[in-house]
Amino acid sequence: MCKDELTNGIHNPPDDFPWLLAEAYYHKPEQLKNEFISQELTYLTTYAVEGMAWLDKNYFTNMLNDKKKETLLELMQITENDSYLLPFSPHMMIAVKKQTTYGK
């Protein structure tokens, strides 16, 4: 399953665990951007949803500690728009704007 996902960019839920994850499509940051631009949307920016913070094996525990949480949130904010680090985040979110046409 992982080999297929990495080579074709499509996740199909495993037959044994259909409730585990929905069908999904993987994108590299530039592919995601181009997909929206091709629909005549104005690209604004791409955000890393989790950023690199998810690599912290104690993420959930550390988020309960005020000092560690502050550090994790700061790291997330610093890296959320870094185009080189976006692929480290399991999820990306894109911000676009619909182009308006007046007088038509």
Side-chain angles (χ1 to χ4, degrees), residues 53 56 58-77:
D56 177 359
N58 298 315
Y59 173 79
F60 293 104
T61 302
N62 289 338
M63 286 298 276
L64 297 173
N65 175 299
D66 289 338
K67 180 65 178 156
K68 291 179 181 181
K69 177 180 179 178
E70 181 181 329
T71 301
L72 284 171
L73 291 175
E74 184 177 329
L75 289 171
M76 290 167 69
Q77 183 178 22

Side-chain angles (χ1 to χ4, degrees), residues 10-23:
I10 301 170
H11 166 76
N12 290 303
D15 293 335
D16 295 344
F17 304 99
W19 63 89
L20 188 60
L21 291 170
E23 182 177 328

Side-chain angles (χ1 to χ4, degrees), residues 75-93:
L75 289 171
M76 290 167 69
Q77 183 178 22
I78 290 169
T79 61
E80 72 182 355
N81 292 111
D82 187 316
S83 63
Y84 293 104
L85 299 177
L86 282 170
F88 287 101
S89 183
H91 300 94
M92 294 179 285
M93 178 177 68

